[in-house]
Amino acid sequence: MSEAGRFDRRLIAPMVVGSILNPINSSMLAVALIPIGVAFSVGPAQTAWLITGLYLATAVGQPVIGRLVDLFGPRSLYLIGTATVGVAGLLGALAPTLGVLIASRVLLGFGTSAAYPASMSLIRSEADRTGLETPAGILTILSISNQVIAVIGPTLGGLLIGLGGWHLIFTINVPLSLACLILGSLRLPKTPRTRLKLQLDYAGILLFATSLVTIMLFLTEPRASRWYLPVLGVACAVAFVLVELRVVEPFINLRVLGGNRPLIATYVRQVLAYVISYSFLYGFAQWLEEGHALSAATTGLLMLPLSGAAVLITALTGRNPRVRGKLVAGSILLLVAGALPLFVDARTALWFLVLIGVVAGIPQGLNGLANQNALYRQADPARIGSSAGLLRTCTYLGALIAAAANAHFFASGATTPGLHELAWFLLVIATLLTAVTLTDRSLA
Protein backbone atom coordinates (compact mmCIF):
# COMPACT_ATOMS: atom_id res chain seq x y z
CA MET A 1 0.00 0.00 0.00
CA SER A 2 1.10 3.56 -0.67
CA GLU A 3 1.83 5.96 2.14
CA ALA A 4 -0.94 8.37 3.13
CA GLY A 5 -0.41 11.86 1.74
CA ARG A 6 1.88 10.69 -1.08
CA PHE A 7 1.04 9.84 -4.67
CA ASP A 8 1.27 6.08 -5.29
CA ARG A 9 4.28 5.96 -7.60
CA ARG A 10 3.50 2.41 -8.64
CA LEU A 11 0.81 3.91 -10.87
CA ILE A 12 3.22 6.08 -12.85
CA ALA A 13 4.72 3.35 -15.06
CA PRO A 14 1.41 1.97 -16.44
CA MET A 15 0.08 5.51 -16.83
CA VAL A 16 3.11 6.64 -18.82
CA VAL A 17 3.46 3.55 -21.02
CA GLY A 18 -0.26 3.54 -21.80
CA SER A 19 -0.46 7.24 -22.59
CA ILE A 20 2.39 7.11 -25.12
CA LEU A 21 0.68 4.52 -27.33
CA ASN A 22 -1.15 7.11 -29.37
CA PRO A 23 1.63 9.69 -29.80
CA ILE A 24 4.23 7.09 -30.77
CA ASN A 25 1.95 5.77 -33.50
CA SER A 26 1.20 9.31 -34.65
CA SER A 27 4.78 10.51 -34.75
CA MET A 28 6.33 7.40 -36.34
CA LEU A 29 3.82 7.55 -39.18
CA ALA A 30 4.97 11.06 -40.11
CA VAL A 31 8.08 9.65 -41.85
CA ALA A 32 6.32 6.54 -43.18
CA LEU A 33 3.66 8.18 -45.36
CA ILE A 34 5.91 8.53 -48.40
CA PRO A 35 7.29 4.91 -48.24
CA ILE A 36 3.77 3.53 -47.70
CA GLY A 37 2.50 5.56 -50.66
CA VAL A 38 5.27 4.12 -52.84
CA ALA A 39 4.54 0.57 -51.64
CA PHE A 40 0.86 0.80 -52.54
CA SER A 41 1.29 3.16 -55.53
CA VAL A 42 -0.89 5.93 -54.04
CA GLY A 43 -0.40 9.63 -53.36
CA PRO A 44 -0.60 11.85 -50.25
CA ALA A 45 -4.37 12.24 -50.58
CA GLN A 46 -4.81 8.46 -50.12
CA THR A 47 -2.18 7.94 -47.42
CA ALA A 48 -3.79 10.81 -45.49
CA TRP A 49 -6.50 8.27 -44.56
CA LEU A 50 -3.94 6.53 -42.36
CA ILE A 51 -3.96 9.71 -40.28
CA THR A 52 -7.67 10.35 -40.65
CA GLY A 53 -8.65 6.80 -39.71
CA LEU A 54 -6.62 6.87 -36.50
CA TYR A 55 -7.90 10.26 -35.42
CA LEU A 56 -11.53 9.69 -36.33
CA ALA A 57 -11.48 6.58 -34.14
CA THR A 58 -9.63 8.39 -31.37
CA ALA A 59 -11.81 11.49 -31.52
CA VAL A 60 -14.88 9.32 -30.99
CA GLY A 61 -13.25 6.81 -28.67
CA GLN A 62 -11.60 9.15 -26.16
CA PRO A 63 -14.75 10.72 -24.61
CA VAL A 64 -16.74 7.48 -24.93
CA ILE A 65 -14.11 5.40 -23.18
CA GLY A 66 -13.48 8.30 -20.81
CA ARG A 67 -17.12 8.10 -19.77
CA LEU A 68 -16.77 4.34 -19.31
CA VAL A 69 -13.77 5.04 -17.09
CA ASP A 70 -15.92 7.41 -15.00
CA LEU A 71 -18.59 4.72 -14.64
CA PHE A 72 -16.61 1.49 -14.34
CA GLY A 73 -13.16 2.61 -13.19
CA PRO A 74 -9.84 2.83 -15.05
CA ARG A 75 -8.42 -0.69 -14.66
CA SER A 76 -10.67 -2.78 -16.93
CA LEU A 77 -10.83 -0.15 -19.69
CA TYR A 78 -7.06 0.27 -19.59
CA LEU A 79 -6.47 -3.47 -20.00
CA ILE A 80 -9.01 -3.92 -22.80
CA GLY A 81 -7.72 -0.88 -24.69
CA THR A 82 -4.04 -1.77 -24.49
CA ALA A 83 -4.74 -5.37 -25.54
CA THR A 84 -6.51 -3.99 -28.63
CA VAL A 85 -3.37 -2.01 -29.49
CA GLY A 86 -1.36 -5.23 -29.80
CA VAL A 87 -3.93 -6.79 -32.12
CA ALA A 88 -4.00 -3.64 -34.27
CA GLY A 89 -0.20 -3.63 -34.47
CA LEU A 90 -0.11 -7.17 -35.82
CA LEU A 91 -2.86 -6.41 -38.33
CA GLY A 92 -0.96 -3.36 -39.58
CA ALA A 93 2.35 -5.18 -39.89
CA LEU A 94 0.74 -7.93 -42.00
CA ALA A 95 -1.57 -5.66 -44.03
CA PRO A 96 -1.64 -6.74 -47.71
CA THR A 97 -3.51 -3.65 -48.93
CA LEU A 98 -3.88 0.00 -48.02
CA GLY A 99 -7.50 -0.65 -46.99
CA VAL A 100 -6.44 -3.23 -44.40
CA LEU A 101 -3.72 -0.90 -43.17
CA ILE A 102 -6.29 1.89 -42.70
CA ALA A 103 -8.55 -0.56 -40.83
CA SER A 104 -5.68 -1.39 -38.49
CA ARG A 105 -5.22 2.32 -37.78
CA VAL A 106 -8.93 2.66 -36.91
CA LEU A 107 -8.67 -0.27 -34.50
CA LEU A 108 -5.48 1.26 -33.10
CA GLY A 109 -7.29 4.55 -32.51
CA PHE A 110 -9.96 2.88 -30.39
CA GLY A 111 -7.35 0.85 -28.51
CA THR A 112 -5.23 3.86 -27.61
CA SER A 113 -8.27 5.82 -26.38
CA ALA A 114 -8.37 4.20 -22.95
CA ALA A 115 -5.03 5.01 -21.32
CA TYR A 116 -5.17 8.81 -21.12
CA PRO A 117 -8.64 9.17 -19.51
CA ALA A 118 -7.74 6.24 -17.24
CA SER A 119 -4.57 8.07 -16.20
CA MET A 120 -6.41 11.33 -15.51
CA SER A 121 -8.96 9.40 -13.46
CA LEU A 122 -6.16 7.80 -11.43
CA ILE A 123 -4.52 11.18 -10.87
CA ARG A 124 -7.80 12.66 -9.65
CA SER A 125 -8.52 9.75 -7.28
CA GLU A 126 -4.97 9.92 -5.91
CA ALA A 127 -5.30 13.69 -5.46
CA ASP A 128 -8.51 13.15 -3.49
CA ARG A 129 -6.82 10.48 -1.36
CA THR A 130 -3.65 12.47 -0.67
CA GLY A 131 -5.16 15.96 -0.47
CA LEU A 132 -2.99 17.30 -3.32
CA GLU A 133 -5.21 19.85 -5.05
CA THR A 134 -3.08 20.00 -8.21
CA PRO A 135 -0.39 17.29 -8.49
CA ALA A 136 1.63 19.38 -10.95
CA GLY A 137 4.61 17.03 -10.84
CA ILE A 138 2.56 14.00 -11.94
CA LEU A 139 0.76 15.98 -14.65
CA THR A 140 4.16 17.16 -15.89
CA ILE A 141 5.50 13.59 -16.02
CA LEU A 142 2.49 12.58 -18.11
CA SER A 143 2.97 15.53 -20.46
CA ILE A 144 6.74 15.09 -20.79
CA SER A 145 6.40 11.37 -21.53
CA ASN A 146 4.13 12.19 -24.46
CA GLN A 147 6.53 14.89 -25.66
CA VAL A 148 9.53 12.55 -25.36
CA ILE A 149 7.74 10.01 -27.53
CA ALA A 150 7.06 12.74 -30.07
CA VAL A 151 10.85 13.26 -30.08
CA ILE A 152 11.64 9.57 -30.44
CA GLY A 153 8.80 8.71 -32.83
CA PRO A 154 9.95 10.23 -36.15
CA THR A 155 13.56 9.22 -35.55
CA LEU A 156 12.60 5.71 -34.45
CA GLY A 157 10.23 5.44 -37.39
CA GLY A 158 12.96 6.48 -39.81
CA LEU A 159 15.42 3.98 -38.34
CA LEU A 160 12.89 1.13 -38.42
CA ILE A 161 12.00 1.90 -42.03
CA GLY A 162 15.70 1.92 -42.87
CA LEU A 163 16.19 -1.44 -41.14
CA GLY A 164 13.22 -3.40 -42.43
CA GLY A 165 10.62 -1.25 -44.13
CA TRP A 166 7.49 0.54 -42.96
CA HIS A 167 5.93 -2.69 -41.59
CA LEU A 168 8.19 -2.48 -38.54
CA ILE A 169 6.58 0.72 -37.24
CA PHE A 170 3.41 -1.27 -36.60
CA THR A 171 5.15 -4.27 -35.05
CA ILE A 172 6.43 -2.16 -32.15
CA ASN A 173 2.88 -2.03 -30.75
CA VAL A 174 3.06 -5.70 -29.73
CA PRO A 175 5.77 -5.36 -27.02
CA LEU A 176 4.26 -2.06 -25.87
CA SER A 177 0.86 -3.72 -25.52
CA LEU A 178 2.35 -6.59 -23.50
CA ALA A 179 4.14 -4.14 -21.20
CA CYS A 180 0.87 -2.30 -20.55
CA LEU A 181 -1.01 -5.51 -19.83
CA ILE A 182 1.61 -6.69 -17.33
CA LEU A 183 1.96 -3.33 -15.58
CA GLY A 184 -1.80 -2.71 -15.57
CA SER A 185 -2.61 -6.14 -14.16
CA LEU A 186 -0.04 -5.82 -11.38
CA ARG A 187 -0.41 -2.17 -10.36
CA LEU A 188 -3.78 -0.66 -11.24
CA PRO A 189 -6.35 -0.76 -8.42
CA LYS A 190 -9.56 -2.71 -8.82
CA THR A 191 -12.79 -0.75 -9.00
CA PRO A 192 -15.32 -0.90 -6.12
CA ARG A 193 -18.50 -2.71 -7.17
CA THR A 194 -20.66 0.28 -6.24
CA ARG A 195 -19.46 2.14 -9.33
CA LEU A 196 -20.68 -0.60 -11.63
CA LYS A 197 -24.38 0.17 -11.02
CA LEU A 198 -24.35 3.37 -13.07
CA GLN A 199 -26.05 3.42 -16.50
CA LEU A 200 -24.54 4.32 -19.86
CA ASP A 201 -26.18 6.81 -22.25
CA TYR A 202 -26.12 4.70 -25.44
CA ALA A 203 -28.29 7.09 -27.48
CA GLY A 204 -26.08 10.05 -26.61
CA ILE A 205 -22.90 8.14 -27.51
CA LEU A 206 -24.34 7.00 -30.87
CA LEU A 207 -25.52 10.49 -31.83
CA PHE A 208 -22.23 12.05 -30.72
CA ALA A 209 -20.19 9.54 -32.73
CA THR A 210 -22.35 9.88 -35.86
CA SER A 211 -22.26 13.67 -35.75
CA LEU A 212 -18.50 13.82 -35.28
CA VAL A 213 -17.67 11.19 -37.92
CA THR A 214 -19.91 12.64 -40.64
CA ILE A 215 -18.61 16.18 -40.18
CA MET A 216 -15.00 14.99 -40.10
CA LEU A 217 -15.51 12.87 -43.22
CA PHE A 218 -16.74 15.99 -45.00
CA LEU A 219 -13.74 18.01 -43.84
CA THR A 220 -11.34 15.41 -45.24
CA GLU A 221 -12.81 15.97 -48.74
CA PRO A 222 -14.98 19.14 -48.69
CA ARG A 223 -16.91 18.95 -51.97
CA ALA A 224 -20.40 20.18 -52.92
CA SER A 225 -21.37 16.65 -53.96
CA ARG A 226 -20.87 15.52 -50.35
CA TRP A 227 -23.38 18.03 -48.95
CA TYR A 228 -25.33 15.30 -47.19
CA LEU A 229 -22.49 14.66 -44.70
CA PRO A 230 -22.57 18.04 -42.88
CA VAL A 231 -26.37 18.03 -43.04
CA LEU A 232 -26.49 14.63 -41.35
CA GLY A 233 -23.82 15.74 -38.89
CA VAL A 234 -25.72 18.86 -37.85
CA ALA A 235 -29.00 16.91 -37.56
CA CYS A 236 -27.34 14.36 -35.29
CA ALA A 237 -25.76 17.16 -33.26
CA VAL A 238 -29.18 18.75 -32.69
CA ALA A 239 -30.65 15.39 -31.70
CA PHE A 240 -27.67 14.82 -29.40
CA VAL A 241 -28.34 18.09 -27.57
CA LEU A 242 -32.03 17.25 -27.12
CA VAL A 243 -31.24 13.78 -25.78
CA GLU A 244 -28.52 14.96 -23.40
CA LEU A 245 -30.77 17.60 -21.88
CA ARG A 246 -33.40 14.98 -21.03
CA VAL A 247 -31.55 11.92 -19.73
CA VAL A 248 -30.70 11.55 -16.04
CA GLU A 249 -27.08 10.40 -16.60
CA PRO A 250 -26.02 12.05 -19.88
CA PHE A 251 -22.91 11.03 -21.78
CA ILE A 252 -21.85 14.69 -21.77
CA ASN A 253 -23.59 16.92 -19.23
CA LEU A 254 -24.32 19.88 -21.50
CA ARG A 255 -25.90 21.94 -18.72
CA VAL A 256 -22.71 21.75 -16.67
CA LEU A 257 -20.47 22.19 -19.70
CA GLY A 258 -22.49 25.12 -21.02
CA GLY A 259 -22.02 26.94 -17.74
CA ASN A 260 -18.30 26.23 -17.69
CA ARG A 261 -17.01 28.78 -20.20
CA PRO A 262 -13.37 28.47 -19.10
CA LEU A 263 -13.45 24.74 -19.95
CA ILE A 264 -15.06 25.44 -23.34
CA ALA A 265 -12.30 27.98 -24.07
CA THR A 266 -9.71 25.34 -23.17
CA TYR A 267 -11.26 22.94 -25.67
CA VAL A 268 -11.23 25.60 -28.40
CA ARG A 269 -7.57 26.44 -27.73
CA GLN A 270 -6.69 22.74 -27.89
CA VAL A 271 -8.26 22.36 -31.33
CA LEU A 272 -6.56 25.43 -32.78
CA ALA A 273 -3.13 24.66 -31.27
CA TYR A 274 -3.09 21.12 -32.57
CA VAL A 275 -4.20 22.06 -36.07
CA ILE A 276 -0.85 23.84 -36.25
CA SER A 277 1.17 21.20 -34.40
CA TYR A 278 -0.04 18.29 -36.55
CA SER A 279 0.25 20.29 -39.75
CA PHE A 280 3.92 20.68 -38.93
CA LEU A 281 4.32 17.07 -37.84
CA TYR A 282 2.89 15.63 -41.06
CA GLY A 283 3.09 18.43 -43.62
CA PHE A 284 6.62 19.59 -42.86
CA ALA A 285 7.87 15.98 -42.66
CA GLN A 286 6.36 15.09 -46.04
CA TRP A 287 7.85 18.23 -47.61
CA LEU A 288 11.30 17.41 -46.23
CA GLU A 289 11.16 14.01 -47.93
CA GLU A 290 9.55 15.04 -51.22
CA GLY A 291 10.12 18.78 -51.58
CA HIS A 292 13.66 18.77 -50.16
CA ALA A 293 14.52 15.21 -51.34
CA LEU A 294 15.67 13.89 -47.95
CA SER A 295 15.51 10.25 -46.85
CA ALA A 296 13.05 9.02 -44.21
CA ALA A 297 15.91 8.51 -41.74
CA THR A 298 17.28 12.04 -42.30
CA THR A 299 13.79 13.52 -42.04
CA GLY A 300 13.32 11.72 -38.73
CA LEU A 301 16.52 13.28 -37.41
CA LEU A 302 15.48 16.74 -38.61
CA MET A 303 12.17 16.38 -36.75
CA LEU A 304 14.07 15.92 -33.47
CA PRO A 305 14.45 19.67 -32.76
CA LEU A 306 10.68 20.18 -33.00
CA SER A 307 9.78 17.68 -30.32
CA GLY A 308 13.04 18.18 -28.40
CA ALA A 309 12.18 21.84 -27.88
CA ALA A 310 8.70 20.81 -26.69
CA VAL A 311 10.17 18.41 -24.13
CA LEU A 312 12.68 20.96 -22.83
CA ILE A 313 10.14 23.74 -22.36
CA THR A 314 7.71 21.33 -20.67
CA ALA A 315 10.41 20.21 -18.24
CA LEU A 316 11.41 23.80 -17.45
CA THR A 317 7.89 25.14 -16.90
CA GLY A 318 6.02 22.01 -15.78
CA ARG A 319 5.96 22.57 -12.03
CA ASN A 320 4.55 26.08 -12.38
CA PRO A 321 0.75 25.57 -12.29
CA ARG A 322 -0.06 28.99 -13.81
CA VAL A 323 -1.23 28.74 -17.40
CA ARG A 324 -1.89 32.20 -18.85
CA GLY A 325 1.72 33.16 -19.53
CA LYS A 326 2.38 29.81 -21.19
CA LEU A 327 -0.65 30.09 -23.43
CA VAL A 328 0.04 33.68 -24.48
CA ALA A 329 3.67 32.89 -25.29
CA GLY A 330 2.65 29.69 -27.07
CA SER A 331 0.09 31.39 -29.32
CA ILE A 332 2.48 34.19 -30.30
CA LEU A 333 5.27 31.72 -31.09
CA LEU A 334 2.87 29.76 -33.30
CA LEU A 335 2.36 32.93 -35.35
CA VAL A 336 6.12 33.00 -35.93
CA ALA A 337 6.23 29.27 -36.65
CA GLY A 338 3.44 29.59 -39.20
CA ALA A 339 5.30 32.32 -41.07
CA LEU A 340 8.74 30.68 -41.28
CA PRO A 341 7.87 28.04 -43.95
CA LEU A 342 7.11 30.91 -46.33
CA PHE A 343 10.88 31.46 -46.61
CA VAL A 344 11.95 27.90 -47.54
CA ASP A 345 12.49 26.06 -50.82
CA ALA A 346 14.41 23.03 -52.08
CA ARG A 347 17.74 24.84 -51.57
CA THR A 348 17.13 26.01 -47.98
CA ALA A 349 20.05 25.30 -45.63
CA LEU A 350 19.56 22.58 -43.02
CA TRP A 351 20.25 24.98 -40.12
CA PHE A 352 17.18 27.04 -41.09
CA LEU A 353 15.02 23.90 -41.21
CA VAL A 354 16.25 23.02 -37.72
CA LEU A 355 15.35 26.54 -36.56
CA ILE A 356 11.80 26.10 -37.87
CA GLY A 357 11.50 22.89 -35.86
CA VAL A 358 12.67 24.57 -32.66
CA VAL A 359 10.30 27.53 -33.06
CA ALA A 360 7.37 25.18 -33.76
CA GLY A 361 8.28 22.84 -30.90
CA ILE A 362 8.38 25.35 -28.04
CA PRO A 363 4.68 26.38 -28.28
CA GLN A 364 3.71 22.72 -28.65
CA GLY A 365 5.15 22.08 -25.17
CA LEU A 366 3.67 25.25 -23.68
CA ASN A 367 0.14 24.83 -25.03
CA GLY A 368 -0.18 21.10 -24.40
CA LEU A 369 0.84 21.28 -20.76
CA ALA A 370 -1.08 24.48 -20.00
CA ASN A 371 -4.35 23.20 -21.46
CA GLN A 372 -3.98 19.91 -19.58
CA ASN A 373 -3.43 21.76 -16.29
CA ALA A 374 -6.33 24.12 -17.04
CA LEU A 375 -8.68 21.18 -17.69
CA TYR A 376 -7.64 19.45 -14.48
CA ARG A 377 -8.78 22.51 -12.49
CA GLN A 378 -11.85 23.37 -14.58
CA ALA A 379 -13.48 19.94 -15.05
CA ASP A 380 -16.06 18.33 -12.78
CA PRO A 381 -14.09 15.78 -10.68
CA ALA A 382 -16.85 13.19 -11.12
CA ARG A 383 -16.42 13.44 -14.90
CA ILE A 384 -12.66 13.84 -15.15
CA GLY A 385 -12.37 10.80 -17.45
CA SER A 386 -14.86 12.02 -20.05
CA SER A 387 -13.60 15.61 -19.73
CA ALA A 388 -10.04 14.44 -20.35
CA GLY A 389 -11.32 12.33 -23.22
CA LEU A 390 -12.96 15.40 -24.75
CA LEU A 391 -9.66 17.26 -24.47
CA ARG A 392 -8.01 14.49 -26.47
CA THR A 393 -10.95 14.60 -28.90
CA CYS A 394 -10.13 18.27 -29.43
CA THR A 395 -6.50 17.29 -29.99
CA TYR A 396 -7.47 14.83 -32.70
CA LEU A 397 -10.08 17.14 -34.14
CA GLY A 398 -7.15 19.48 -34.70
CA ALA A 399 -5.21 16.58 -36.20
CA LEU A 400 -8.08 15.75 -38.57
CA ILE A 401 -8.31 19.35 -39.74
CA ALA A 402 -4.53 19.31 -40.22
CA ALA A 403 -4.76 16.07 -42.23
CA ALA A 404 -7.49 17.58 -44.42
CA ALA A 405 -5.38 20.71 -44.91
CA ASN A 406 -2.31 18.65 -45.83
CA ALA A 407 -4.32 16.56 -48.30
CA HIS A 408 -5.69 19.76 -49.87
CA PHE A 409 -2.46 21.72 -50.12
CA PHE A 410 -0.41 18.66 -51.12
CA ALA A 411 -2.97 17.29 -53.60
CA SER A 412 -0.29 17.28 -56.31
CA GLY A 413 2.49 16.16 -53.98
CA ALA A 414 4.39 17.67 -51.05
CA THR A 415 5.75 20.56 -53.11
CA THR A 416 7.21 23.88 -52.00
CA PRO A 417 4.24 25.93 -53.35
CA GLY A 418 1.94 23.60 -51.41
CA LEU A 419 3.98 24.17 -48.24
CA HIS A 420 3.70 27.94 -48.71
CA GLU A 421 -0.08 27.69 -49.06
CA LEU A 422 -0.18 25.56 -45.92
CA ALA A 423 1.84 28.24 -44.10
CA TRP A 424 -0.74 30.93 -44.91
CA PHE A 425 -3.46 28.65 -43.57
CA LEU A 426 -1.48 28.13 -40.35
CA LEU A 427 -1.08 31.90 -39.93
CA VAL A 428 -4.86 32.28 -39.95
CA ILE A 429 -5.27 29.52 -37.33
CA ALA A 430 -2.51 31.01 -35.15
CA THR A 431 -4.20 34.42 -35.30
CA LEU A 432 -7.48 32.88 -34.10
CA LEU A 433 -5.66 31.08 -31.28
CA THR A 434 -3.98 34.29 -30.15
CA ALA A 435 -7.31 36.12 -30.11
CA VAL A 436 -9.03 33.34 -28.09
CA THR A 437 -6.18 33.28 -25.58
CA LEU A 438 -5.87 37.02 -25.07
CA THR A 439 -9.63 37.51 -24.62
CA ASP A 440 -10.07 34.67 -22.08
CA ARG A 441 -10.27 36.51 -18.75
CA SER A 442 -10.62 33.31 -16.76
CA LEU A 443 -6.92 32.56 -17.33
CA ALA A 444 -5.95 35.43 -15.04
Side-chain angles (χ1 to χ4, degrees):
M1 297 295 291
S2 58
E3 297 179 23
R6 296 183 61 185
F7 191 94
D8 188 351
R9 295 189 173 273
R10 295 175 303 173
L11 302 176
I12 295 176
M15 286 166 49
V16 168
V17 179
S19 69
I20 67 173
L21 292 174
N22 197 285
I24 195 170
N25 281 284
S26 302
S27 56
M28 283 196 303
L29 188 69
V31 296
L33 291 173
I34 298 298
I36 290 173
V38 171
F40 292 111
S41 300
V42 297
Q46 287 73 43
T47 56
W49 279 100
L50 295 169
I51 306 169
T52 303
L54 176 73
Y55 292 139
L56 273 174
T58 310
V60 172
Q62 285 278 353
V64 172
I65 296 178
R67 184 57 181 151
L68 292 173
V69 168
D70 289 333
L71 297 179
F72 305 127
R75 178 188 169 89
S76 58
L77 274 302
Y78 178 97
L79 294 175
I80 294 171
T82 53
T84 304
V85 169
V87 175
L90 283 175
L91 180 63
L94 301 173
T97 66
L98 182 64
V100 175
L101 191 60
I102 292 171
S104 76
R105 297 284 291 180
V106 172
L107 185 62
L108 187 66
F110 284 114
T112 60
S113 293
Y116 181 72
S119 296
M120 292 295 283
S121 177
L122 288 166
I123 291 173
R124 168 57 69 181
S125 61
E126 280 295 285
D128 292 342
R129 183 186 64 80
T130 61
L132 296 174
E133 182 178 353
T134 304
I138 303 301
L139 290 170
T140 301
I141 290 172
L142 202 60
S143 182
I144 288 179
S145 65
N146 283 264
Q147 299 290 355
V148 167
I149 287 304
V151 173
I152 297 172
T155 305
L156 178 60
L159 292 174
L160 290 174
I161 291 169
L163 288 173
W166 58 264
H167 299 82
L168 291 183
I169 71 169
F170 295 93
T171 308
I172 198 172
N173 287 294
V174 177
L176 287 174
S177 172
L178 289 174
C180 289
L181 289 172
I182 293 170
L183 289 170
S185 299
L186 294 176
R187 299 188 177 186
L188 296 187
K190 294 183 179 180
T191 303
R193 291 183 179 273
T194 52
R195 293 180 67 176
L196 304 180
K197 298 179 180 180
L198 298 174
Q199 298 298 313
L200 194 61
D201 176 18
Y202 296 103
I205 290 173
L206 179 62
L207 289 169
F208 173 84
T210 305
S211 176
L212 186 61
V213 169
T214 51
I215 291 173
M216 286 300 97
L217 286 175
F218 177 76
L219 288 178
T220 58
E221 296 181 56
R223 299 194 307 267
S225 60
R226 292 157 59 90
W227 60 268
Y228 56 91
L229 288 174
V231 170
L232 177 59
V234 171
C236 288
V238 172
F240 171 73
V241 171
L242 295 176
V243 168
E244 297 305 273
L245 292 176
R246 294 179 180 179
V247 298
V248 177
E249 285 287 341
F251 165 49
I252 298 175
N253 195 325
L254 296 181
R255 287 191 176 89
V256 173
L257 181 61
N260 194 342
R261 292 185 179 180
L263 183 58
I264 294 175
T266 295
Y267 289 144
V268 172
R269 287 194 305 270
Q270 190 82 347
V271 172
L272 295 174
Y274 278 91
V275 168
I276 303 172
S277 293
Y278 279 101
S279 293
F280 266 101
L281 178 63
Y282 292 113
F284 194 55
Q286 288 184 80
W287 177 80
L288 287 172
E289 290 186 63
E290 192 169 341
H292 210 283
L294 300 177
S295 68
T298 303
T299 297
L301 290 173
L302 277 177
M303 295 298 286
L304 274 174
L306 189 153
S307 297
V311 171
L312 180 61
I313 198 67
T314 302
L316 292 175
T317 64
R319 290 190 175 275
N320 186 342
R322 290 177 291 184
V323 300
R324 189 176 192 278
K326 298 173 188 175
L327 291 170
V328 170
S331 59
I332 292 173
L333 281 171
L334 283 179
L335 281 168
V336 179
L340 286 177
L342 293 171
F343 302 97
V344 306
D345 57 30
R347 299 180 301 275
T348 300
L350 292 181
W351 70 264
F352 191 73
L353 302 178
V354 171
L355 176 64
I356 293 176
V358 172
V359 174
I362 292 174
Q364 180 177 312
L366 290 172
N367 290 320
L369 178 62
N371 283 329
Q372 178 180 267
N373 288 348
L375 175 129
Y376 184 82
R377 295 204 300 263
Q378 295 162 349
D380 177 3
R383 288 178 172 263
I384 188 65
S386 53
S387 297
L390 276 175
L391 186 69
R392 280 293 178 95
T393 292
C394 292
T395 299
Y396 300 125
L397 181 59
L400 286 167
I401 295 172
N406 288 340
H408 173 73
F409 294 118
F410 291 163
S412 300
T415 63
T416 297
L419 180 67
H420 291 168
E421 292 175 358
L422 178 63
W424 284 113
F425 169 74
L426 297 183
L427 280 172
V428 173
I429 300 298
T431 300
L432 290 174
L433 175 62
T434 303
V436 170
T437 303
L438 293 177
T439 56
D440 186 358
R441 297 182 180 181
S442 69
L443 296 176

